[in-house]
Amino acid sequence: MTTLQFSLFFAAILVAYLLVHLRLVRFEAHLKEIVALRSLNERVGRACESLERFRLERVEEHLVQLHDDLNRVHSELEGLRDATGAVGKVLETVPVQAPRPAPGPTAGSSGGNPDFTSGERIRMAIETCLLGLGYGDLRILADLSEVGLDEAFQVRIECAKHHMPHKGSVTVRNGGVVDIDLQSVAQSFP
């Protein structure tokens, strides 16, 4: 073999060695990444095992129950809103006129039943209106003896509806009920 052939052969071996060495360095880096992926794979496996320990079925059951309860509360609120609207319609239909006294003899005639005073007429108008709306156990907390029919004023009231005490005021004008502002005592306590 000549010197030229030997030197070319030696150069080819050096180039091949460098290429193989570079490939091995890259392969080593690849192996390090694979080792990191293996540890990541082990962590994911442990996470899956811990998730299997949790019973999501119970959580789903509770969520379904909460959804049903929410729907039931929503329907109850709709019913309450409808009932409140019905009370408002009843209030609109309540006559604002003063109640007429019961037929009977007047003070000047025989029989001795005098005409009603303005306070008695106002009391009758309030009682008729509130009893018609379903309130009971009425207590009027104002003195109506000095009140005239043409005056507008508020009368403090205590009453009960469905065994729940209510307090508030009733506005009276021209001998009839104009406005009712009654609130349940239970609303005072949050």
Side-chain angles (χ1 to χ4, degrees), residues 27-41:
F27 186 67
E28 234 177 74
H30 237 1
L31 286 178
K32 287 181 182 177
E33 289 177 8
I34 288 174
V35 169
L37 287 176
R38 182 178 296 154
S39 67
L40 182 64
N41 191 22

Side-chain angles (χ1 to χ4, degrees), residues 3-18:
T3 318
L4 180 65
Q5 286 178 337
F6 179 75
S7 60
L8 285 175
F9 178 72
F10 188 71
I13 288 178
L14 281 176
V15 169
Y17 173 76
L18 287 174

Side-chain angles (χ1 to χ4, degrees), residues 38-145:
R38 182 178 296 154
S39 67
L40 182 64
N41 191 22
E42 290 173 0
R43 281 191 254 163
V44 168
R46 280 182 273 159
C48 288
E49 289 174 4
S50 66
L51 281 177
E52 288 176 2
R53 284 186 245 151
F54 292 115
R55 297 288 180 204
L56 296 179
E57 295 85 23
R58 290 183 57 207
V59 174
E60 289 174 2
E61 290 173 7
H62 288 295
L63 285 175
V64 168
Q65 183 179 3
L66 283 173
H67 183 263
D68 293 341
D69 291 344
L70 181 63
N71 284 337
R72 188 171 40 249
V73 167
H74 181 68
S75 64
E76 292 292 327
L77 285 175
E78 289 291 323
L80 183 61
R81 188 181 73 197
D82 293 342
T84 305
V87 168
K89 290 177 183 174
V90 168
L91 283 176
E92 291 173 2
T93 60
V94 172
V96 184
Q97 301 173 353
R100 292 189 168 55
T106 60
S109 63
S110 60
N113 245 359
D115 285 336
F116 293 110
T117 65
S118 60
E120 290 171 339
R121 286 184 185 198
I122 291 171
R123 178 181 298 276
M124 286 181 359
I126 293 171
E127 289 175 351
T128 303
C129 180
L130 291 179
L131 289 175
L133 293 175
Y135 291 96
D137 192 22
L138 300 173
R139 286 182 301 282
I140 298 176
L141 304 176
D143 183 23
L144 301 176
S145 61

